[in-house]
Amino acid sequence: MSTTPRSTLDRFVERLDRLDVTHTVTDRDGVTAAVDAVCEPPAVGVPLPDGLGTLPASVATDVAPSALGAATTGVTPATLGVADYGSVVLSTTPDGVEPTSLFPDLHVAVLPTGAVVPDMATALGRLGERIRTDGGSHVLATGPSATADMGALVTGAHGPSRVHVVLVEP
Amino acid sequence: MSGDARSAKAEHIRRILATEGPAVEANTQGFNRGRYESVADLDDYEALKREARRIKEDAIERLPELLDELRAAVEANGGTVYVAADAADATRYVRDVVRDVEGERVVKSKSMTTEEVELNDALAADGVDVVETDLGEWVLQVADETPSHIVAPAIHKSREDIAALFTAAFDPEEPLETAADLTAFARERLAERIEAADVGVTGANFLTADTGTMALVTSEGNARKTVTATDTHVAVAGVEKVIPSVEDLAPFLELVGRSGTGQDITSYVSLLTPPVDSPTLNFERDETGPPDDRAFHLVLVDNGRLAMREDDDLRETLYCIRCSACANSCANFQQVGGHVFGGETYSGGIATGWEAGVEGLDTAAEFNDLCTGCTRCVNACPVGIDIPWINTVVRDRINHADDARFDFLVDGLTPDAEPAGMDVQKRLFGNFGTLARLGSATAPVSNWLAGTGVARRAMERFAGVDRRRELPTFECETFQQWAADRPTVRDADREVVLFPDVYTDHVHTARGKAAVRVLEALGVGVTVASVTDSGRAPLSQGMVDTAREAAETVAESLVPEVAAGRDVVVVEPSDHAMFQTDYERLLDDRYEMLADGSYDLFEYVYGLLANGAAPDTLHLGDGERVAYHAHCQQRTLGVDRYTTAVLSDLGYDVVTSEVECCGMAGSFGYKREYYDVSVAVGADLVDQFTAADAADRTVVASGTSCLDQLDDLLGRSSRHPAELLDPARRDD
């Protein structure tokens, strides 16, 4: 995986701040502790891919509907970050990245810093290649879910009301 | 339209203004401000818009080929594609899908296309429980109302309205007050329904032909849940939503939220390549299943779109990405919303194109007149659709359609190139040039006559001219007659042909005289053109043939002047806009010569001063405090800045208005059925010009109709900027 320039990462983090998305920066060995520190129990999660560390024991890897419904926190990997927007890309998987990132109130996304790209055009370029190869689905998630339909802006509509990003340095 | 029909329409508009107007205004103006702020953050907004436009032009050009490619991709992914010829075909297919899976409950995320085909009613008739999960749509489902906005469907409802609605409908245990209370209540109720649903229906903002991927642009997360929680996913989308590749999504994803609600991007953009590879979730049995259990149906709706593609004037409508920028930037829409400025499904400026294409002219005719052609939506549209032109063309077709019912009349009796049976009101305003010539020739008698109560009542009854409006006063000596006797400037550096529009020539002659004296003071030789009618008045009434005749006459007169090295200078902004943009539709390649060789008066004055002309004989500001309202079409062309700059540079203390349009918009504010909307739009301008820092300022405006509106509403008289600088004023 390529190395992302410092300026791109700074911009990504600045965007996260503006979206009220909290973040921590760690390395592969620190992921377990970093995730554990921000999880509010009960927590469910999807196993992290190789090289991204491991989930703490406090996070159950269970996407049964009852577990999703009961969980306060959902932990998933993210496969891209978009610096211009503070977006993370959540790629759907048979082990349930989509429901895990959607049903609990707090979503914790674990993202390698090397996956942060500068802008939307670059992100769509990467996604185009991937989708043409494997036909997958992806969600560009930017901040918490929100609605303005009830007379004022409210965060936390059908999806999570809070988002935390764990940035994993190589 | 009959007098009674005008009265009924006026009454409907008054009621909506009173009940829904305040919420619609607050929300749309908030979106519009957000758009300005959000697009300002982009490195190159214009380049992004050009790219989006290019992709749409290419996609619609190659539509049949892209639809084949899309079908192949979706089928290769394991989904099914159905192209529905019309609304009934689309709903029949979806009903069959729901029946085949023995679906009892369908959950939906927001989709205007399902509104268009009236899917909910069709499913409900089969006994299916249909639940809208977008919070705004759900509010409307509970209230049994229709959307008033294509993106934020319940903007006509305030928080208090929604709280009262929920309290009456659900009798909640805890009182619901804040927006957060209402959201939490709705989320909880809807979560239960989503979890127990059999089929999820979504729209699609974009479809990529290369991969069979659909983009869903949402913020609440309900579309994600609708797809994830159900095993059968049905997406209903117009055929025009297809674009070539995933990469082509980039400019649209950057523009759609900014253009619409002023968000840089919405919380979620789902790029789904269905059937999605998430596990299935059975909430009732608390089980998960393999992704292979998921099924996907893509219903591509034609319903008139392929015919629109063949229609040179309506085709652009298919580029629309339904962002709502044209609605939010529209001064009239801001007052009345989609329940007045909308048809069966769509609302706002572009709705005329959609409704004419998918429903028919009759539906478009119900609201098409709300577009005044002010052009403020043109720069706001992320794909650069010429929305005013679509409105003009459809108005022209409506004029001709009306004619079929009056074919016993003889065309030769009419003073224009239009059919005999068209609306009297439109014919009156469209022929203002003829009226003005007659008015000046017979002034002052014409003015006395027009001012009598009997005459005003008759004009209101038969032509729909609102009697609360002051009518223009025609001058006996026209501006052209005045100019004919003037000596020419000797050894002038430049020669200008001043275009004396109908109003300057017959009504506001003072501004024309001032313009001549200002130009001469800057060393320019001025002659006044012999033509006065640009075709703006007939064009605004959808009288395209008459406007084209006028454009021809203007071209015959002015193009040789440009060819001879003279500059054409235009006083009236709406006529300058005709030369700069509308003539492209009305003339051959002479359009470019005239566009390149013609200038807004203050654009020209700015150029003269920048090139060293000495302003010492002009009336300088010396700190005079003025409040300036630029004309909507000057704003769109970006030439309003010249007036502001010249006045500031010459010592005037200028504040400028921030409204999109004054609300008069040519003849619009004179029309009986639209008088109230016009005044409501103007109220924003009045607020700005009566605020503490502006109340004592001289009111200045460039456009005739803006000056009329300001005079009517402010109770202090307004002036044209040329009158401020008029050397004759130094003798005052």
Side-chain angles (χ1 to χ4, degrees):
Chain A
M1 190 157 293
S2 59
T3 314
T4 301
R6 187 81 251 166
S7 58
T8 304
L9 283 176
D10 287 348
R11 180 155 175 73
F12 179 67
V13 164
E14 179 208 320
R15 283 282 163 175
L16 292 181
D17 289 345
R18 272 208 247 175
L19 293 162
D20 288 329
V21 172
T22 52
H23 73 278
T24 39
V25 182
T26 184
D27 59 18
R28 187 204 309 189
D29 298 333
V31 166
T32 310
V35 170
D36 197 44
V38 295
C39 276
E40 293 173 23
V44 292
V46 171
L48 302 175
D50 289 346
L52 214 53
T54 48
L55 293 177
S58 58
V59 178
T61 51
D62 182 1
V63 291
S66 58
L68 288 171
T72 300
T73 308
V75 186
T76 70
T79 61
L80 280 177
V82 187
D84 273 357
Y85 288 87
S87 311
V88 293
V89 170
L90 311 170
S91 302
T92 64
T93 56
D95 57 8
V97 163
E98 173 68 339
T100 305
S101 63
L102 181 61
F103 284 85
D105 188 57
L106 168 64
H107 174 222
V108 178
V110 183
L111 174 70
T113 54
V116 179
V117 298
D119 51 37
M120 193 59 79
T122 311
L124 268 302
R126 298 274 178 91
L127 291 172
E129 284 170 30
R130 281 193 212 167
I131 296 172
R132 278 188 292 273
T133 307
D134 65 13
S137 297
H138 307 269
V139 177
L140 266 156
T142 311
S145 81
T147 185
D149 284 348
M150 297 291 166
L153 184 69
V154 176
T155 49
H158 290 276
S161 68
R162 292 170 297 151
V163 178
H164 183 94
V165 175
V166 177
L167 275 164
V168 186
E169 290 181 325
Chain B
M1 203 187 300
S2 72
D4 290 342
R6 278 188 223 289
S7 296
K9 184 155 205 165
E11 184 49 40
H12 173 64
I13 290 174
R14 263 195 297 278
R15 190 174 56 78
I16 297 289
L17 277 170
T19 53
E20 303 183 355
V24 168
E25 181 175 16
N27 284 311
T28 51
Q29 291 186 351
F31 293 157
N32 200 39
R33 275 193 301 277
R35 172 176 62 83
Y36 281 120
E37 288 163 15
S38 178
V39 301
D41 291 341
L42 289 167
D43 290 339
D44 196 342
Y45 173 44
E46 295 302 325
L48 215 49
K49 287 200 289 184
R50 280 194 300 275
E51 175 67 358
R53 166 88 186 188
R54 186 195 63 73
I55 293 167
K56 274 291 182 183
E57 279 182 3
D58 171 54
I60 297 303
E61 174 71 29
R62 296 196 288 127
L63 189 59
E65 166 198 335
L66 291 178
L67 288 173
D68 287 345
E69 194 185 338
L70 175 67
R71 174 191 287 276
V74 172
E75 289 175 353
N77 295 334
T80 308
V81 177
Y82 184 74
V83 178
D86 55 24
D89 194 17
T91 54
R92 184 194 54 71
Y93 182 84
V94 180
R95 288 165 62 195
D96 286 349
V97 169
V98 174
R99 194 178 300 130
D100 286 350
V101 299
E102 295 173 12
E104 293 170 3
R105 176 175 289 148
V106 170
V107 284
K108 287 180 66 203
S109 70
K110 194 176 137 30
S111 151
M112 290 307 290
T113 310
T114 61
E115 303 258 1
E116 174 190 320
V117 302
E118 300 182 351
L119 179 62
N120 292 15
D121 289 346
L123 289 172
D126 290 346
V128 176
D129 181 24
V130 184
V131 180
E132 294 284 353
T133 62
D134 173 87
L135 297 185
E137 287 286 350
W138 189 60
V139 165
L140 296 186
Q141 198 177 22
V142 173
D144 193 23
E145 291 180 22
T146 57
S148 57
H149 187 273
I150 60 170
V151 171
I155 49 162
H156 59 287
K157 290 205 172 296
S158 66
R159 179 176 54 79
E160 292 80 1
D161 294 337
I162 298 168
L165 174 74
F166 283 4
T167 303
F170 304 111
D171 192 18
E173 287 168 20
E174 300 284 322
L176 301 171
E177 256 175 59
T178 64
D181 293 343
L182 295 164
T183 302
F185 178 80
R187 172 195 166 118
E188 205 146 308
R189 287 190 80 93
L190 287 169
E192 293 165 14
R193 286 162 173 75
I194 294 170
E195 289 167 9
D198 306 299
V199 177
V201 173
T202 68
N205 293 83
F206 305 95
L207 295 157
T208 61
D210 60 341
T211 58
T213 301
M214 52 184 282
L216 280 174
V217 177
T218 69
S219 272
E220 295 179 358
N222 60 309
R224 293 177 66 189
K225 275 193 174 165
T226 295
V227 173
T228 305
T230 55
D231 296 357
T232 302
H233 174 194
V234 180
V236 181
V239 290
E240 83 284 3
K241 296 291 177 68
V242 63
I243 56 175
S245 71
V246 173
E247 282 79 354
D248 289 327
L249 288 166
F252 297 106
L253 300 188
E254 296 212 71
L255 287 169
V256 66
R258 296 179 195 269
S259 302
T261 53
Q263 294 165 278
D264 295 352
I265 191 167
T266 58
S267 299
Y268 303 121
V269 178
S270 298
L271 304 178
L272 306 180
T273 313
V276 176
D277 60 349
S278 295
T280 60
L281 304 171
N282 187 323
F283 289 84
E284 206 180 337
R285 281 187 258 148
D286 196 22
E287 285 172 6
T288 59
D292 291 348
D293 288 351
R294 291 181 176 274
F296 173 64
H297 299 263
L298 175 62
V299 182
L300 293 167
V301 179
D302 174 357
N303 205 27
R305 287 167 174 79
L306 295 178
M308 290 165 76
R309 182 172 168 269
E310 303 294 325
D311 184 321
D312 285 343
D313 291 310
L314 290 188
R315 183 182 307 122
E316 266 196 311
T317 307
L318 299 174
Y319 305 162
C320 170
I321 60 170
R322 307 206 176 156
C323 69
S324 78
C326 60
N328 303 332
S329 61
C330 172
N332 287 346
F333 189 93
Q334 288 174 1
Q335 298 301 323
V336 296
H339 289 162
V340 169
F341 197 159
E344 291 289 319
T345 311
Y346 301 99
S347 55
I350 194 61
T352 288
W354 281 119
E355 294 285 344
V358 304
E359 295 286 343
L361 283 181
D362 285 354
T363 311
E366 287 168 17
F367 64 94
N368 161 264
D369 285 347
L370 268 300
C371 171
T372 63
C374 86
T375 68
R376 297 306 295 134
C377 55
V378 172
N379 296 354
C381 176
V383 286
I385 300 174
D386 191 346
I387 295 165
W389 177 252
I390 290 174
N391 276 280
T392 301
V393 167
V394 170
R395 196 167 299 155
D396 184 72
R397 292 180 187 179
I398 293 165
N399 289 343
H400 284 80
D402 280 349
D403 187 51
R405 296 164 211 157
F406 289 86
D407 54 4
F408 53 88
L409 287 175
V410 184
D411 273 9
L413 293 178
T414 61
D416 48 48
E418 306 303 319
M422 73 172 278
D423 187 77
V424 175
Q425 184 191 56
K426 288 199 171 74
R427 172 153 275 146
L428 176 78
F429 286 118
N431 283 295
F432 185 75
T434 311
L435 212 63
R437 279 187 287 282
L438 198 67
S440 277
T442 58
V445 177
S446 54
N447 296 320
W448 297 335
L449 202 60
T452 65
V454 178
R456 292 309 302 263
R457 276 194 294 279
M459 283 168 77
E460 183 168 283
R461 180 77 197 156
F462 297 110
V465 180
D466 199 286
R467 80 181 101 151
R468 286 165 289 188
R469 283 288 181 196
E470 200 164 308
L471 292 180
T473 306
F474 299 111
E475 299 286 346
C476 304
E477 185 193 46
T478 66
F479 170 54
Q480 279 182 329
Q481 288 163 350
W482 170 85
D485 298 334
R486 286 180 68 77
T488 49
V489 175
R490 283 178 190 282
D491 306 323
D493 297 333
R494 287 167 175 275
E495 286 186 57
V496 154
V497 179
L498 192 70
F499 179 74
D501 60 276
V502 175
Y503 295 90
T504 302
D505 197 33
H506 295 274
V507 183
H508 295 295
T509 56
R511 70 180 188 177
K513 296 171 188 174
V516 170
R517 288 189 287 259
V518 166
L519 289 168
E520 287 179 348
L522 295 171
V524 175
V526 183
T527 53
V528 173
S530 59
V531 284
T532 60
D533 192 350
S534 72
R536 167 60 69 195
L539 192 72
S540 73
Q541 307 305 311
M543 298 160 65
V544 175
D545 291 342
T546 309
R548 188 168 278 121
E549 285 182 358
E552 279 295 333
T553 308
V554 167
E556 279 164 27
S557 169
L558 296 185
V559 169
E561 301 279 9
V562 173
R566 297 185 191 93
D567 298 320
V568 174
V569 171
V570 187
V571 180
E572 172 59 36
S574 60
D575 288 313
H576 177 244
M578 282 293 280
F579 297 176
Q580 294 300 316
T581 56
D582 300 274
Y583 274 16
E584 188 173 6
R585 308 271 191 182
L586 303 175
L587 287 178
D588 48 27
D589 54 3
R590 289 169 297 166
Y591 151 72
E592 277 178 30
M593 276 193 77
L594 190 53
D596 290 347
S598 60
Y599 304 86
D600 167 89
L601 173 62
F602 272 74
E603 177 187 19
Y604 200 77
V605 168
Y606 179 90
L608 293 171
L609 293 171
N611 283 302
D616 17 313
T617 57
L618 298 178
H619 186 274
L620 303 179
D622 196 22
E624 181 175 354
R625 289 160 57 79
V626 302
Y628 174 58
H629 172 68
H631 187 274
C632 44
Q633 278 153 338
Q634 284 181 304
R635 293 170 196 251
T636 298
L637 292 173
V639 295
D640 55 324
R641 63 178 185 268
Y642 297 114
T643 305
T644 315
V646 167
L647 293 180
S648 299
D649 290 350
L650 296 184
Y652 291 85
D653 177 30
V654 187
V655 296
T656 54
S657 66
E658 284 163 15
V659 300
E660 299 286 1
C661 175
C662 72
M664 184 63 109
S667 60
F668 181 79
Y670 286 93
K671 293 182 177 177
R672 183 181 176 198
E673 60 273 38
Y674 303 121
Y675 173 84
D676 295 290
V677 185
S678 169
V679 170
V681 171
D684 288 343
L685 189 50
V686 170
D687 286 348
Q688 284 182 17
F689 282 3
T690 52
D693 182 49
D696 65 324
R697 289 173 180 268
T698 305
V699 177
V700 181
S702 302
T704 298
S705 50
C706 318
L707 289 162
D708 290 345
Q709 174 83 319
L710 286 161
D711 281 351
D712 274 7
L713 299 180
L714 273 180
R716 66 192 212 261
S717 67
S718 51
R719 319 183 74 157
H720 189 275
E723 295 177 79
L724 291 183
L725 304 185
D726 189 352
R729 206 180 157 210
R730 287 158 63 101
D731 308 328
D732 285 355

